[in-house]
Amino acid sequence: EYIDVIDEEGNVVGRATKEQVIKNKLLHRGVNVFVFNSKGELFVHKRSNNLLHYPGMYDVKFSGDLRSGEKYYEAAKRELGEEAGIKDTNLEFLFELRTRRKEENVDHQAFSCIWDGPIALDPNECEHGKFMKLEKIKILMWERRLSPSAEQVLREFLKREGK
């Protein structure tokens, strides 16, 4: 599986394997998907202890890297299906976000959907999860129980939504 490597302007400048991207902290593209229910609660899940980044921490989005040649929307739909078993739902584009830190360098697009059906978590990615009110999720953030990537994306969401 290859991932497009990009420059600071978002232009594709090469391809690399996922392992090369991780090892060399190469700039690439990713997606984040928030899953809300019709009551306005956000799905929160505990990350698997086997994950490379932030094992055992809580997350508020389903996320992943774009494969070489893949579009953001396509990747968001794919990741949502792979990690949560959610298919055939409409995604709403929310915002773009740049992440530059020692663990990763990625340009993200964030999406959201409303889903009241079953969620089938990938056991390799997530231990368990549930829908929560934003006020309770903010407590997890203040207690530093959210992964840094989840906190970054959640803060951006809250800022843009005025919450």
Side-chain angles (χ1 to χ4, degrees):
E1 179 177 313
Y2 282 92
I3 295 172
D4 288 334
V5 177
I6 60 173
D7 63 17
E8 286 294 336
E9 287 75 45
N11 301 307
V12 175
V13 296
R15 287 183 348 152
T17 65
K18 184 163 182 85
E19 293 77 22
Q20 292 168 323
V21 168
I22 292 169
K23 178 182 176 192
N24 299 307
K25 317 288 189 280
L26 300 174
L27 182 55
H28 62 287
R29 297 177 178 138
V31 291
N32 297 289
V33 183
F34 294 110
V35 177
F36 290 92
N37 62 19
S38 58
K39 295 188 268 185
E41 298 169 322
L42 179 58
F43 193 81
V44 177
H45 60 274
K46 187 171 184 197
R47 297 171 58 83
S48 168
N49 284 316
N50 300 324
L51 293 175
L52 177 64
H53 295 301
Y54 322 118
M57 297 190 83
Y58 287 94
D59 209 332
V60 295
K61 81 262 184 289
F62 295 99
S63 60
D65 300 323
L66 272 68
R67 294 175 178 160
S68 184
E70 194 173 35
K71 304 290 184 217
Y72 282 101
Y73 188 85
E74 295 167 355
K77 295 280 276 189
R78 177 180 51 76
E79 288 293 340
L80 194 57
E82 289 174 2
E83 294 184 15
I86 298 174
K87 296 178 170 54
D88 301 321
T89 188
N90 291 322
L91 299 179
E92 177 186 343
F93 171 77
L94 297 175
F95 54 85
E96 293 182 351
L97 186 65
R98 302 180 106 189
T99 299
R100 306 292 186 268
R101 51 176 175 255
K102 65 178 183 171
E103 297 89 6
E104 63 180 341
N105 294 302
V106 60
D107 286 354
H108 300 273
Q109 283 193 1
F111 297 85
S112 70
C113 70
I114 297 175
W115 183 259
D116 289 314
I119 295 179
L121 296 175
D122 177 348
N124 296 318
E125 301 271 343
C126 312
E127 288 187 15
H128 57 79
K130 66 179 180 179
F131 283 100
M132 296 175 68
K133 294 182 184 301
L134 284 175
E135 295 309 313
K136 297 244 184 211
I137 298 169
K138 287 179 186 178
I139 293 170
L140 287 176
M141 184 169 58
W142 294 328
E143 293 175 343
R144 300 296 224 202
R145 295 172 66 196
L146 290 183
S147 73
S149 64
E151 182 175 336
Q152 179 190 23
V153 176
L154 180 61
R155 284 188 186 279
E156 187 67 21
F157 173 78
L158 294 171
K159 179 177 86 174
R160 289 174 180 261
E161 295 293 312
K163 297 183 179 196

